[in-house]
C-alpha cells in the first residue's frame, strides 16, 4: 500500500488473480509513470475483466491525473490558509473582547437620591455597544453608543469614544452641555481620519443634581429612551441629529439639546437597538419593551432590570444572547415616601413567628397585607430549610421596603442557591411536593412579582399596596 492507502499489485499478482475475477469486476490504483524523457507523472490505472465470446480478457486503462492532483494540492493549500485565517480571526476576536471588557465601567456611581442599573450581554461576535455613567461634582454624564464595525475595529472605536468624552470633561468641566460634548466628539472623530463607512450613534445626557434637570442630545440614535415620571406620566426623550461620520459635511452636523425636569420617582430606560431589533417568528422585541418597562417602572432598579432580562429571555427562546449586543441602562430618582425595615433570622422555624409579627406591624392598615405576609412566610421557610439546611449558624435576611405604590420583601439565605428558572418556568402546582415549589407557586399566584438573583439564594417579592379606607 502506498502512503494514501491505495493497494498496488505487481503484474504477476494481477495475473494470478485473473482466473478468479468475474466479468464486471474492476480494480483501480494510483501509481507513478516514468516517461521516456525521465519525467514522472501521477496516473490512475483501472483494470477489469470483460467477456469476448467465450473468452475473458483483461482491459486496462491508464489515465494521466496530473491536473487532478494539482487541484487537490490547491484545495489542501486553501484549507491550510483558511485554518490559519480562522486562527488569526479568533485571536483578533479575543483581543477585541479583552479591549471591550477593559473599557466597560466596572461600577456605576453611588449618588444620593439617584440610582443606576445596567445590563450588557455581548452578541456571539463582538459588537460596538458601549455605555458609561460619570459624576463630575454636581453633574452626572450618561451616554450609550453604538458604532459600525465588529471585532477589533469596533472595540477600538468604543475606546476612542470614551477617551474623547473623558478628554472634554477634563478640559471643559465648567461647560458640561450635551451638545458641546458631542461637538467635541465629532471634531476629534474627523481628525482621526476614520473610513467614511464607519459612523457613531450616541445618546448623551447630563443630569444636574441640584436642579434635577436632565439635558440631552443625540446623534443618529435609533431608540428613544422611555420615561415614567413620578406621577405616572409616560413619555419618550425624542432627539434629532444625524450620526457622527466623516461622510457627512461638518457644517451639516448640529446637535439639538432638549431638557426635562425629573421629579421624585421618575425612571428612565436607555437602550441600544440590539435589544429592540431582536426578532422571533416575525415579532420584534420593540413591541414588548414599552409594556414590560411601564408595568415595572415604579419598582426598584434591580427589579426593573431583572424583569426586562427575564421577559427578553422568554421572548428569545430562553436565551439572553441576541444577534447584536443587548445593552440597556436604567436611571431612577428615589421617591419621597419610602421606608425600609431589616430583620435577621436564625434558620429555625420558631423565628417565623417573629417574622410574621414584625411584618404585621409594618403593614398594619394595608389591604393585601395578609396575602403578602403568607407568601413571605413561605419564602422565608424555604430559605431556612432548603437554603441554609436548618443550620442555626446561618442566617436568613429579610428586608421590607414600603412606598406609596408597592411593598417589596427581599429574602436572602446563605446557601448555595438553586435552579429557580426550572421551577419558575414550570406550571403552577400548589399541591405539589417539589422542593421550594409550594412557596414559589403561592407567591407567583398571589403577588405582583417574584424574582430571583442569578445564584438563586435571594428572592424578591412585590405586591401593589393600597391602604384600607377608614
Amino acid at each position: 500500500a502506498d502512503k494514501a492507502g491505495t493497494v498496488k499489485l505487481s503484474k504477476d499478482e494481477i495475473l494470478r488473480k485473473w482466473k478468479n475475477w468475474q466479468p464486471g469486476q474492476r480494480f483501480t490504483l494510483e501509481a507513478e509513470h516514468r516517461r521516456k524523457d525521465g519525467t514522472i507523472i501521477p496516473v490512475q490505472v483501472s483494470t477489469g475483466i470483460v467477456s469476448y465470446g467465450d473468452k475473458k480478457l483483461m482491459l486496462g486503462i491508464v489515465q494521466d491525473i496530473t491536473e487532478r492532483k494539482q487541484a487537490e494540492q490547491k484545495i489542501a493549500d486553501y484549507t491550510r490558509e483558511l485554518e490559519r485565517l480562522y486562527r488569526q480571526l479568533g485571536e483578533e476576536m479575543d483581543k477585541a473582547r479583552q479591549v471591550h471588557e477593559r473599557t466597560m465601567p466596572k461600577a456605576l456611581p453611588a449618588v444620593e437620591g439617584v440610582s443606576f442599573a445596567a445590563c450588557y450581554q455581548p452578541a456571539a461576535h463582538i459588537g460596538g455597544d458601549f455605555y458609561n455613567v460619570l459624576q463630575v461634582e454636581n453633574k452626572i454624564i450618561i451616554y450609550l453608543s453604538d458604532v459600525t464595525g465588529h471585532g477589533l475595529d469596533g472595540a477600538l472605536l468604543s475606546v476612542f469614544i470614551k477617551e474623547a468624552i473623558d478628554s472634554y470633561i477634563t478640559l471643559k468641566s465648567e461647560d458640561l452641555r450635551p451638545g458641546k460634548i458631542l461637538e467635541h466628539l465629532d471634531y476629534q472623530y474627523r481628525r482621526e481620519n476614520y473610513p467614511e463607512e464607519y459612523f457613531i450613534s450616541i445618546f448623551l445626557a447630563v443630569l444636574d443634581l441640584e436642579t434635577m434637570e436632565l439635558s440631552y442630545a443625540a446623534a443618529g440614535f435609533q431608540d428613544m429612551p422611555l420615561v415614567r415620571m413620578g406621577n405616572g406620566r409616560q413619555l419618550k426623550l425624542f432627539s434629532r441629529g444625524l450620526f457622527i461620520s466623516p461622510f457627512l459635511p461638518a457644517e451639516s452636523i448640529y446637535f439639538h439639546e432638549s431638557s426635562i425636569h425629573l421629579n421624585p420617582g421618575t425612571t428612565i430606560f436607555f437602550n441600544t437597538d440590539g435589544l429592540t431589533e431582536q426578532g422571533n417568528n416575525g415579532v420584534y422585541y420593540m413591541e414588548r419593551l414599552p409594556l414590560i418597562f411601564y408595568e415595572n417602572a415604579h419598582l426598584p432598579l434591580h427589579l426593573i432590570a431583572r424583569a426586562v432580562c427575564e421577559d427578553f429571555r422568554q421572548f428569545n427562546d430562553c436565551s439572553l444572547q441576541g444577534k447584536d449586543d443587548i445593552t440597556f441602562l436604567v436611571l431612577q430618582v428615589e421617591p419621597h415616601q419610602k421606608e425600609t425595615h431589616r430583620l435577621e433570622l436564625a434558620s429555625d422555624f420558631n423565628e417565623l413567628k417573629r417574622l410574621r409579627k414584625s411584618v404585621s406591624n409594618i403593614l398594619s392598615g394595608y389591604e393585601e397585607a395578609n396575602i403578602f405576609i403568607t407568601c413571605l412566610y413561605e419564602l422565608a421557610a424555604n430559605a431556612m430549610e432548603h437554603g441554609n439546611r436548618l443550620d442555626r449558624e446561618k442566617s436568613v435576611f429579610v428586608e421590607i421596603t414600603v412606598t406609596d405604590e408597592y411593598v417589596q420583601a427581599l429574602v436572602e439565605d446563605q446557601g448555595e442557591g438553586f435552579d429557580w428558572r426550572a421551577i419558575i418556568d414550570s406550571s403552577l402546582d400548589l399541591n405539589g411536593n417539589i422542593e421550594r415549589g409550594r412557596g414559589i407557586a403561592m407567591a407567583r399566584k398571589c403577588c405582583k412579582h417574584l424574582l430571583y438573583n442569578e445564584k438563586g439564594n435571594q428572592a424578591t417579592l412585590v405586591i401593589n399596596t393600597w391602604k384600607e379606607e377608614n
Side-chain angles (χ1 to χ4, degrees), residues 37-50:
D37 60 3
T39 59
I40 296 175
I41 61 171
V43 295
Q44 178 176 289
V45 181
S46 300
T47 61
I49 301 299
V50 296

Side-chain angles (χ1 to χ4, degrees), residues 199-220:
F199 61 85
I200 298 171
S201 297
I202 185 170
F203 188 98
L204 190 144
V206 177
L207 175 62
D208 188 320
L209 295 174
E210 293 182 358
T211 64
M212 296 307 294
E213 197 78 13
L214 182 80
S215 55
Y216 57 92

Side-chain angles (χ1 to χ4, degrees), residues 78-273:
Y78 289 152
T79 300
R80 284 193 295 272
E81 179 63 14
L82 282 174
E83 290 174 348
R84 184 189 69 81
L85 291 174
Y86 275 123
R87 286 195 300 271
Q88 182 179 341
L89 180 61
E91 293 171 358
E92 180 180 307
M93 296 297 278
D94 288 340
K95 291 178 181 177
R97 287 190 180 93
Q98 293 172 12
V99 170
H100 204 260
E101 289 173 1
R102 287 197 297 267
T103 308
M104 284 291 188
K106 300 298 184 291
L108 300 176
V111 182
E112 184 177 357
V114 181
S115 51
F116 302 91
C119 173
Y120 173 69
Q121 174 63 52
H125 56 264
I126 293 296
D129 282 9
F130 184 73
Y131 72 89
N132 206 357
V133 180
L134 305 167
Q135 182 173 8
V136 181
E137 297 179 354
N138 66 333
K139 300 287 180 63
I140 300 290
I141 297 94
I142 305 156
Y143 62 92
L144 286 83
S145 65
D146 187 4
V147 302
T148 54
H150 298 286
L152 192 56
D153 53 350
L156 292 177
L157 194 49
S158 294
V159 173
F160 163 78
I161 293 172
K162 180 180 184 300
E163 291 180 346
I165 293 176
D166 286 349
S167 67
Y168 181 89
I169 293 173
T170 301
L171 297 172
K172 299 288 185 68
S173 59
E174 74 285 351
D175 188 15
L176 297 180
R177 287 181 289 166
K180 290 294 184 181
I181 298 174
L182 292 184
E183 286 176 6
H184 175 78
L185 176 62
D186 178 66
Y187 174 75
Q188 295 295 332
Y189 189 61
R190 293 176 186 278
R191 290 184 58 188
E192 294 294 327
N193 293 318
Y194 280 95
E196 289 187 348
E197 62 270 20
Y198 283 18
F199 61 85
I200 298 171
S201 297
I202 185 170
F203 188 98
L204 190 144
V206 177
L207 175 62
D208 188 320
L209 295 174
E210 293 182 358
T211 64
M212 296 307 294
E213 197 78 13
L214 182 80
S215 55
Y216 57 92
F221 203 77
Q222 183 171 332
D223 287 17
M224 298 299 99
L226 304 174
V227 182
R228 194 262 194 186
M229 302 298 290
N231 58 7
R233 181 187 171 205
Q234 301 174 4
L235 55 98
K236 294 182 179 181
L237 300 183
F238 289 99
S239 60
R240 299 187 297 273
L242 299 173
F243 52 79
I244 295 174
S245 169
F247 174 78
L248 300 172
E251 57 272 15
S252 68
I253 301 298
Y254 173 72
F255 303 105
H256 178 79
E257 288 188 10
S258 301
S259 64
I260 182 174
H261 179 75
L262 307 187
N263 56 6
T266 297
T267 304
I268 305 179
F269 189 93
F270 308 85
N271 66 278
T272 58
D273 58 12

Side-chain angles (χ1 to χ4, degrees), residues 345-387:
L345 310 175
S347 297
D348 185 328
F349 288 150
N350 290 325
E351 291 278 81
L352 294 174
K353 296 178 182 177
R354 181 163 69 93
L355 172 66
R356 182 182 289 275
K357 182 178 180 180
S358 298
V359 179
S360 296
N361 291 334
I362 294 170
L363 300 183
S364 176
Y366 284 88
E367 290 181 357
E368 301 187 33
N370 288 334
I371 295 175
F372 184 83
I373 293 170
T374 300
C375 295
L376 177 58
Y377 184 100
E378 291 290 338
L379 293 179
N382 279 343
M384 292 176 181
E385 181 179 4
H386 303 300

Side-chain angles (χ1 to χ4, degrees), residues 273-286:
D273 58 12
L275 179 67
T276 51
E277 291 185 353
Q278 183 70 19
N280 193 343
N281 294 323
V283 179
Y284 294 92
Y285 195 68
M286 66 178 66

